[in-house]
């Protein structure tokens, strides 16, 4: 009976000399590839370890700086500045930038505070906080249009429903101050319709105020 398929194929014979020659031919490429793979894997591990170490150092540096700030120590602002600059992209660095910006605002140096916030990179969980603090800075400069923009950006970046509603209310207030009652009214209407929102009661009050006042836009 004639064999077909796999049975018809002759057994593979591996020539040791051919295998050795092949290995020698590609040894350099194989070695280089192995080194590259090991380097990438090792580099990723070191990068992760380095990031974790940096995050820990940033948190400690932040808490040291905030302790000075709480004591109203003259060195606090300098320490917060160092932490914000040195540990960009870490939770400690972002928190230092937020406190530093607020310290600038407290001295009515709103442009300086906004510059600190503009330099924040990878805010992560603090993204809505960064945007809302920018809004506060523009309110300090009486630029209510810009404040409303940043409050609404904060709404988009907030993760909790209650936080979103609170920030939406702040945006509505800024719009009212900017003379944009129609836009503010729309936001208050959205909040008033959410009966389970902690902002619904205030929203109804603000709607009454806006209804009594002439709408400018």
């Amino acid at each position: 009976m004639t064999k077909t398929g796999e049975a018809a194929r002759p057994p593979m014979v591996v020539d040791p000399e051919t295998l050795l020659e092949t290995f020698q031919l590609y040894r350099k490429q194989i070695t280089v590839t192995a080194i590259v793979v090991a380097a990438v894997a090792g580099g990723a591990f070191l990068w992760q370890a380095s990031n974790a170490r940096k995050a820990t150092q940033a948190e400690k540096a932040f808490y040291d700086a905030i302790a000075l700030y709480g004591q109203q120590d003259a060195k606090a602002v300098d320490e917060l500045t160092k932490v914000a600059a040195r540990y960009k992209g870490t939770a400690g660095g972002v928190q230092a930038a937020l406190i530093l910006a607020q310290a600038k605002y407290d001295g009515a140096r709103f442009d300086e505070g906004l510059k600190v916030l503009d330099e924040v990179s990878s805010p992560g969980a603090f993204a809505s906080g960064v945007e809302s603090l920018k809004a506060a800075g523009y309110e300090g400069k009486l630029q209510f249009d810009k404040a409303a923009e940043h409050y609404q950006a904060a709404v988009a970046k907030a993760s909790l429903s209650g936080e979103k509603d609170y920030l939406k209310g702040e945006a509505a207030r800024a719009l009212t101050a900017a003379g944009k009652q129609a836009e503010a009214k729309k936001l208050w209407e959205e909040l008033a319709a959410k009966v389970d929102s902690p902002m619904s009661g205030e929203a109804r009050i603000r709607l009454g105020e806006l209804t009594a006042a002439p709408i400018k836009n």
Side-chain angles (χ1 to χ4, degrees), residues 160-169 191 194 197-199:
L160 300 176
S161 177
E163 181 186 8
K164 285 179 178 290
D165 289 349
Y166 170 77
L167 292 168
K168 193 174 287 187
L191 291 169
K194 294 182 65 175
S197 171
M199 295 295 295

Side-chain angles (χ1 to χ4, degrees), residues 81-177:
T81 302
K82 290 176 185 177
V83 176
R86 183 175 181 181
Y87 297 106
K88 281 186 178 182
T90 67
V94 176
Q95 290 175 93
L98 289 169
I99 301 299
L100 178 60
Q102 185 60 60
K104 300 288 187 182
Y105 290 175
D106 291 344
R109 301 193 300 277
F110 298 108
D111 285 330
E112 291 181 23
L114 288 166
K115 183 178 179 182
V116 170
L117 296 172
D118 285 339
E119 292 175 354
V120 170
S121 62
S122 304
F126 301 97
S128 65
V130 171
E131 290 294 342
S132 60
L133 199 54
K134 284 182 179 181
Y138 283 110
E139 283 180 323
K141 295 179 67 176
L142 305 182
Q143 295 181 14
F144 298 107
D145 279 356
K146 293 285 288 182
E149 288 176 16
H150 284 284
Y151 277 129
Q152 289 175 314
V155 171
K157 294 178 180 180
S159 57
L160 300 176
S161 177
E163 181 186 8
K164 285 179 178 290
D165 289 349
Y166 170 77
L167 292 168
K168 193 174 287 187
E170 292 297 299
R173 274 186 274 274
L175 286 168
T176 301

Side-chain angles (χ1 to χ4, degrees), residues 2 4 43 51 80 95 107 125 128 169-170 180 191 204:
T2 305
T4 59
N51 272 3
L80 287 167
Q95 290 175 93
S128 65
E170 292 297 299
K180 296 186 174 183
L191 291 169
R204 287 190 289 272

Side-chain angles (χ1 to χ4, degrees), residues 9 21 43 56 84 126 158-159 214 217:
R9 296 178 186 172
E21 290 171 358
T56 300
F126 301 97
S159 57
N217 65 322

Side-chain angles (χ1 to χ4, degrees), residues 48 52 57 94:
Q48 291 174 349
Q57 291 171 343
V94 176

